[in-house]
Amino acid sequence: MSIQESLLYSAEAIEEHYDAGDYIFREDATPQYYYQIVSGEVKLNSYKEDGKEFIQNIFSANACFGESMLILGKPYPVNAIALTKCIILKVAREHFLQLLQLHPDLFLDISKSLADNAHDKFVLMPKIASKNAEERLAELMNIMKDSKNQEKFSFEIPHTRQQLASLTGLSLETTIRAIKKMERGEILMIKNGKIFY
């Protein structure tokens, strides 16, 4: 989901630049801005008590993030961290809510996007609870793969093995073993170190 940049600028958007590893917002902070990525990648993560990272999602250009907490006015349950150099447009909450009042179709688009994300999480949750690593990874890859692009091995997984591990709650070693097993079972293909599903 993205909003036209011209509309964001009309709502007094500010362009900010981040380096890889920079925090855009931190867990428990009060939402103040709508964020939309112009370029780069951002991850939403949290850390378990043992310090292990759990990646909630990874976003790239034209995606927005954190909007549900902004609308609710509740503290962030996650961190937003730049994975790469990023350019991000941010709009103050007050101006963002005024923009939604002026353009109610945007609110509907955001609602549909949030509902779609919730649907994907509902589909993924039972698989993540499963002890079967291959099943967890396959479900995540199914969600990432464009529904129009069903040809076998036609989709390049845009994440590292470590990111796949963090997205599914698996260890890196288990993820690597599962990916190799999935390759032997012709569920995915590895070409030049890249995973194709």
Side-chain angles (χ1 to χ4, degrees):
M1 156 75 213
S2 68
I3 297 173
Q4 290 178 355
E5 289 182 21
S6 59
L7 280 177
L8 295 178
Y9 281 116
S10 75
E12 300 183 31
I14 301 166
E15 182 178 292
E16 291 202 336
H17 296 249
Y18 296 88
D19 290 321
D22 286 351
Y23 279 77
I24 299 157
F25 59 73
R26 292 182 185 267
E27 188 174 351
D28 295 324
T30 302
Q32 301 292 323
Y33 298 97
Y34 167 85
Y35 296 97
Q36 187 166 299
I37 303 169
V38 175
S39 64
E41 286 189 322
V42 172
K43 68 178 174 181
L44 298 185
N45 78 352
S46 55
Y47 295 96
K48 297 180 183 178
E49 287 181 13
D50 63 2
K52 184 178 176 185
E53 178 184 40
F54 184 77
I55 297 177
Q56 303 282 342
N57 217 329
I58 296 175
F59 298 100
S60 55
N62 298 319
C64 61
F65 57 94
E67 69 280 13
S68 61
M69 284 72 78
L70 179 68
I71 292 167
L72 286 172
K74 290 188 174 182
Y76 293 115
V78 294
N79 302 299
I81 303 171
L83 278 173
T84 62
K85 281 188 172 240
C86 292
I87 299 173
I88 294 176
L89 292 179
K90 69 180 197 178
V91 178
R93 183 176 195 270
E94 179 184 328
H95 295 138
F96 179 67
L97 295 176
Q98 288 171 357
L99 182 67
L100 293 181
Q101 287 177 343
L102 290 171
H103 302 276
D105 54 315
L106 291 178
F107 190 75
L108 183 59
D109 290 344
I110 288 172
S111 297
K112 285 178 183 176
S113 178
L114 291 172
D116 190 43
N117 290 339
H119 173 267
D120 289 349
K121 293 287 184 190
F122 288 135
V123 169
L124 189 58
M125 272 195 255
K127 301 296 181 183
I128 285 180
S130 164
K131 293 184 180 178
N132 184 326
E134 295 87 29
E135 204 173 284
R136 289 186 196 189
L137 289 163
E139 193 59 44
L140 177 64
M141 291 176 190
N142 282 331
I143 288 171
M144 284 189 283
K145 189 173 185 174
D146 182 26
S147 60
K148 297 172 191 159
N149 187 1
Q150 294 298 322
E151 202 172 312
K152 197 169 188 177
F153 310 139
S154 60
F155 178 69
E156 182 181 342
I157 300 298
H159 305 309
T160 66
R161 285 152 179 80
Q162 179 62 62
Q163 290 169 340
L164 291 172
S166 294
L167 283 163
T168 55
L170 297 168
S171 70
L172 178 58
E173 296 78 17
T174 300
T175 300
I176 291 169
R177 280 194 304 273
I179 287 170
K180 287 180 181 176
K181 187 174 179 183
M182 292 168 78
E183 181 185 29
R184 287 192 301 272
E186 298 183 0
I187 295 167
L188 55 79
M189 176 178 72
I190 299 174
K191 185 176 176 183
N192 299 325
K194 300 285 187 183
I195 301 169
F196 291 85
Y197 185 72

